[in-house]
Structures are given as C-alpha cells and as structure tokens.
Amino acid sequence: MSGLAADFPVVSLITFLPLAGAILLLFIRGTSVKTVRGLTLAVSLATLVLALGLFHGFSGATGLPEFVERASWLGRGLDYHVGVDGISLFLVLLAAFMTPLALLSSWRAVDVRVKEFSAFMLLLETGMIGVFVSLNLFLFYVFWEAMLVPMYFLIGIWGGRRRVYATMKFVLFTMFGSLLMLVGIFVLHAAFFRATGSYSLAISDLAAMPMAPALQTWLFLAFGLAFAVKIPLFPLHTWLPDAHVEAPTAGSVLLAAVLLKMGAYGFIRLGLPLFPQAGRAFAPALSVLAVIGIVYGGLMALAQKDMKSLVAYSSVSHMGLIMLAVFALNFEAAEGALFQMVNHGLSTGALFLCAGMLYERTRTRAIADYGGAAARMPVLAGLFLVSMLSSAGLPGLGGFVGEILCFFGIFGRNKILAGLGVTTVILSASYLLWLYRRVMHGPLKAPDDRRLIDLDGRERAVLIPLVALMLFLGLFPGTILRKMDAAVSRHIRSLDKPAAAAPTSSDPARPAFRAPAAGEREP
C-alpha cells in the first residue's frame, strides 16, 4: 500500500469529509454565495485527491478488501466496517470524480438557496461513497437509505415544473424496495445467530454461511427487488425518466453517473455472493427482463422529443446490458459490467451536462427547437460528439471496451441473449446520431440562436476531463482491469458455493456452523 500508511483511515476520510463540509456549511452564517461555492468545491476536490491516493496505494493482488477499518458500533454484529476491493474502488473514484464536476456545472444554473443546495450535494457524496465502501450489511443499508434524503430535496426544491410528482415517485419506488431489503437483513441476522450462536453482519461472514435453498430464494427476492428498482430493470424503470427530466442538471448527472450503478453493484456485492443458488435460478428470468429493457429503452429513446428524456431512456437500455452481463455469471461479463458502469457514468454524465449547457442558453430542451448549434458552439459540438460516440461504443473509447467485454461473457453464456443484447449497439447509435444531427447540424431554428455563445472556461473545465477519461479508458483499459482482476475472480468463485441445508442450533454453546475466527476472517 505504497503512499499511504496502513493505519491511515483514508476510507473513512473519503467517506465523511463531504459530510463534515456539509455540516460546516449549515453552521456558518453570513457567507457570500461565492464563498459557499468555493468551500464546497474545495471539499469535493480534497475528497477526490484522497480517492486518487487510495487508487495509487491499492494493489488488488489478492482480491481481498484493502484499507480496511473495523470497530464495534452498535453491538450484535452491527459494526463499523469499511474498505475497498477491485469491485468497489473504481465506483468510489467515479463518485469522487463526478461530484466536483456536477458542482461546477451548477454555478450558473442554481442561484437560489445555494448553501442548502451545496450541503445536499455533499451529503449525497457521503451516501454514495458509503454504499461502495461498506463491508457490513447494516452499514450498507444505512448509507443506501441516507442517499435518498439529499436526492429527495435536490429534485423537490431545485427541480422542474413537475418536481413534486417526480420526487414522490422516486421516493416511493426506492423506499418500497429498501424496506424489503431491511426485512431481509433482519432474517439474515437471525439466521446467522441460529447457525453460529454469535452475531455478525459482516458480508464475508454471511457469504460463508450455508443457507437452505428456500431461504435463499426469499432473501434473493427481498434484496433483488431493491437492486432492480435502483438499476432500473424493466418494468421497474418508470421513476427514472421523470426523475431525470425534473432534476437539476447536477442531480441528473449524479443520478445517471453513480446512483444507477448501485443496483448492479448490489447484485455483485450482495445478491449473488450471499444467495448464489437463488441467483443462478433467477438468472434466466432476469436476463430476459434485461433484454426487454435494452430493446424497450432504445426504442423509447428514439421516440423522445426532450433531450434529457432521450438520455434517460438510453440509460434504461445501457443498464439493461450491464444487468445482462452481471447475470451471465462468468469472469469476462462481470469485468465488462464493472468497466461499463464506469464508462456509462462518464459518458452519460457528459451528455446530461451538454444538455444542461444548451438549456442554460436557450431555456428549452425540445430537440425540435435546435439546429445548427455546431456552427455557433464548435467546442461543445466536439465534446458532445466524443461523449455520444463513447456511449455508442465506438472503438478507441471507453464504451467499446466495456461493451466488448460484456458481449464476450454473454456470448459464452447464451448466444441468443447475446444476439438480442447487440441491439443496444444499433439502437444507441441510431438515437444518439439522430439527436446529434438534429441539434448540431442543419439551419438555425430560432433567430436568438445566432447569439449562442460557445463554452466558457468553467464549462470546458467540466467537460474536458470527462472526455479525456473516456479516451484514456478506451486506449489504456488495463489500468483499471489489472486492479479489478483478482476481486472479480473471487466473486465468480464465490458463486460455486454448493447448496446446503440451513444449519440451525438452539444452543449457542454448540453451533451448527462455526463462524470464522478473527484470524480466519477477511480483513
């Protein structure tokens, strides 16, 4: 772990520095908007620097969590237990990278209640990172739920005309799924005690516990519904277009770039390792729903008249491909799904930012109102083009690497599903090229468009790093894949755990299943 001392609590600092910044913002009085924005950006950049240090120090050689911190919290297995492995590291980096860009993008768009907006953005960052670093199931749930609060206010206060409807729909969908997951956590907690005579909600301990097939099935359904809503998997996707369209640009960016990844991450981190036999049993049905989502999302994107709505439905289609890869249950597909999560976060985030920058100038998102923007805004047109091509999977960009790895893995599992999944490439190229042609080429539609001004320095500082990373991932994918390999291999091996009858013991002194001793546990 070069660069960082083994006892340096870097994971906790990355997680809670944004929370400390949000609390500081709420307690300071009489501060100018400029100072609030500067302080918020400084906190998010400091978090990014720490995350880059984490990446530098992470070896990934064993596939086990690194930089682990563990302490007793509430007792009865409800511990503070955090760390990162090759599966979570890049999602932590993605959250830390996207937050300052989202904050910068909102400097012109958000000019009321800036202090509250900034505090909620930092709270959201803590929630996002907390989900990815949690190694205790209860801690995972706490951060999972904590994310809802800032997103509720970001859409409800700074959203569009239908923000109340969109907010309620978002909260009801996600809360319903989350409550079932909470019930599942209670059942797992009790099952572990019955089996071992001791308490633990450490994810590695729970994954080692034998579990009866019937219990696996019910628990997989309870956890899987929460994750399927968040992805969002067809037909549970209906909250997403409304939330995207009504959210402020910064909210749309973080929703698309990071929050949508949590469902797929939940299946990889919890759903499949804890309930592998149930995961295998449900894989065909979930794969079919994923393919329906790919085709349905792509066709709906073709029919959209609003730029943000088009990008939102494109996310339904792309996340369907990621879901299909997750349930291909092999190494190539799992690695492709993780890689594609990172690239989708970058490219879709950039597309939402481009749509927001156009909206700030014209006050319309209707595609029919645009035309010829490339002549007035060549820098935006160029960055928009690269982001669009990365999302469509053009070779040389990050999207190509993610998609090709996904298809390699899916093809090895089921050739028919792989063939149907390829439609995402055709559909995404169709609706994105159609969008680009309508917005960027042809005659100007409105006289005011002649006064369109190209990106200023702040806007270029937001988009250029995103485009640079898409190029970097496309040309040097090994930078990510090398640190991901061992953790993904461990994940795939964990799916081969044989089914077993649930061990039970009414006598804690004579456990039916021996809990891993301290020296045997993962760090």
Side-chain angles (χ1 to χ4, degrees):
M1 301 182 186
S2 60
L4 287 172
D7 57 350
F8 184 70
V10 62
V11 175
S12 292
L13 277 174
I14 292 171
T15 307
F16 293 108
L17 183 59
L19 174 64
I23 294 172
L24 179 64
L25 281 176
L26 295 178
F27 279 94
I28 57 176
R29 294 283 183 268
T31 308
S32 70
V33 168
K34 188 176 179 181
T35 304
V36 168
R37 287 173 172 159
L39 177 62
T40 309
L41 183 62
V43 170
S44 65
L45 287 174
T47 306
L48 175 58
V49 170
L50 286 169
L52 291 173
L54 189 74
F55 171 77
H56 178 68
F58 182 84
S59 76
T62 65
L64 292 170
E66 299 180 18
F67 301 100
V68 174
E69 301 165 37
R70 188 167 192 168
S72 179
W73 181 25
L74 300 177
R76 293 178 175 264
L78 282 62
D79 297 336
Y80 177 76
H81 188 188
V82 296
V84 291
D85 63 4
I87 292 174
S88 58
L89 173 68
F90 297 100
L91 295 170
V92 172
L93 276 171
L94 182 65
F97 181 72
M98 294 304 298
T99 302
L101 298 182
L103 285 167
L104 265 177
S105 74
S106 65
W107 280 25
R108 187 184 297 161
V110 175
D111 54 6
V112 295
R113 304 178 71 174
V114 174
K115 185 189 293 187
E116 291 88 342
F117 175 84
S118 302
F120 283 128
M121 287 290 287
L122 291 176
L123 281 173
L124 183 60
E125 185 175 19
T126 285
M128 293 186 299
I129 293 175
V131 166
F132 296 132
V133 302
S134 294
L135 298 177
N136 182 283
L137 191 51
F138 184 73
L139 193 63
F140 176 92
Y141 181 79
V142 169
F143 283 118
W144 181 276
E145 288 297 283
M147 281 185 314
L148 287 181
V149 177
M151 186 51 79
Y152 172 86
F153 286 106
L154 286 170
I155 300 175
I157 297 176
W158 292 275
R161 285 187 300 108
R162 297 173 65 247
R163 59 185 179 275
V164 174
Y165 169 76
T167 304
M168 293 305 296
K169 199 171 180 180
F170 167 70
V171 169
L172 288 176
F173 266 75
T174 49
M175 282 291 288
F176 177 70
S178 300
L179 286 175
L180 287 178
M181 181 166 64
L182 181 61
V183 173
I185 291 173
F186 286 138
V187 173
L188 266 178
H189 190 246
F192 191 86
F193 179 76
R194 284 198 303 272
T196 67
S198 61
Y199 291 106
S200 177
L201 278 175
I203 294 170
S204 56
D205 289 351
L206 295 173
M209 178 179 68
M211 202 179 302
L215 183 60
Q216 279 200 38
T217 299
W218 287 110
L219 288 175
F220 182 83
L221 287 173
F223 280 77
L225 185 62
F227 303 147
V229 167
K230 194 74 87 178
I231 281 179
L233 180 69
F234 178 89
L236 303 171
H237 66 283
T238 61
W239 62 271
L240 179 68
D242 291 313
H244 268 312
V245 170
E246 300 304 325
T249 298
S252 294
V253 169
L254 293 182
L255 186 59
V258 186
L259 267 69
L260 294 190
K261 312 301 176 295
M262 291 178 177
Y265 176 77
F267 275 117
I268 295 173
R269 173 63 72 204
L270 300 175
L272 289 169
L274 297 185
F275 323 112
Q277 281 74 47
R280 287 186 181 280
F282 280 101
L286 291 171
S287 298
V288 170
L289 290 177
V291 168
I292 294 173
I294 289 171
V295 177
Y296 170 83
L299 293 176
M300 287 298 291
L302 275 171
Q304 298 309 303
K305 299 177 180 177
D306 180 293
M307 280 190 288
K308 285 181 77 174
S309 186
L310 185 152
V311 181
Y313 275 106
S314 81
S315 291
V316 175
S317 183
H318 283 123
M319 293 307 295
L321 175 63
I322 290 171
M323 184 75 174
L324 189 59
V326 168
F327 281 91
L329 306 177
N330 58 43
F331 177 83
E332 292 81 6
E335 205 164 59
L338 287 167
F339 196 98
Q340 186 64 353
M341 280 194 244
V342 176
N343 181 73
H344 180 265
L346 299 175
S347 59
T348 306
L351 291 175
F352 273 117
L353 287 166
C354 290
M357 290 168 185
L358 284 167
Y359 178 78
E360 287 177 19
R361 287 161 170 79
T362 62
R363 314 312 295 176
T364 176
R365 291 192 305 265
I367 298 169
D369 292 341
Y370 287 93
R376 311 299 304 173
M377 307 177 69
V379 175
L380 174 68
L383 297 173
F384 194 161
L385 180 64
V386 177
S387 306
M388 183 197 71
L389 294 175
S390 183
S391 184
L394 187 80
L397 295 167
F400 175 75
V401 178
E403 287 189 351
I404 205 71
L405 286 171
C406 286
F407 286 128
F408 267 130
I410 299 166
F411 191 80
R413 178 77 177 180
N414 188 312
K415 295 177 177 58
I416 296 175
L417 289 178
L420 293 170
V422 170
T423 55
T424 189
V425 178
I426 301 165
L427 288 169
S428 62
S430 302
Y431 57 71
L432 288 171
L433 288 171
W434 177 80
L435 171 68
Y436 191 80
R437 182 181 65 79
R438 295 280 300 273
V439 172
M440 293 296 169
H441 296 301
L444 291 170
K445 292 290 178 64
D448 288 347
D449 288 350
R450 297 183 184 282
R451 294 196 292 272
L452 282 177
I453 301 172
D454 208 352
L455 303 186
D456 59 25
R458 175 183 60 83
E459 291 168 322
R460 295 183 190 203
V462 171
L463 282 179
I464 288 175
L466 283 168
V467 170
L469 264 181
M470 290 174 216
L471 286 164
F472 181 80
L473 292 181
L475 297 174
F476 306 102
T479 309
I480 282 188
L481 297 176
R482 275 192 294 275
K483 297 201 175 191
M484 198 183 280
D485 283 347
V488 174
S489 295
R490 284 181 62 85
H491 164 69
I492 296 300
R493 287 198 301 273
S494 74
L495 306 184
D496 294 328
K497 184 174 70 174
T504 57
S505 171
S506 57
D507 181 3
R510 301 179 62 187
F513 162 67
R514 186 175 67 84
E520 299 170 336
R521 286 178 170 170
E522 292 185 3

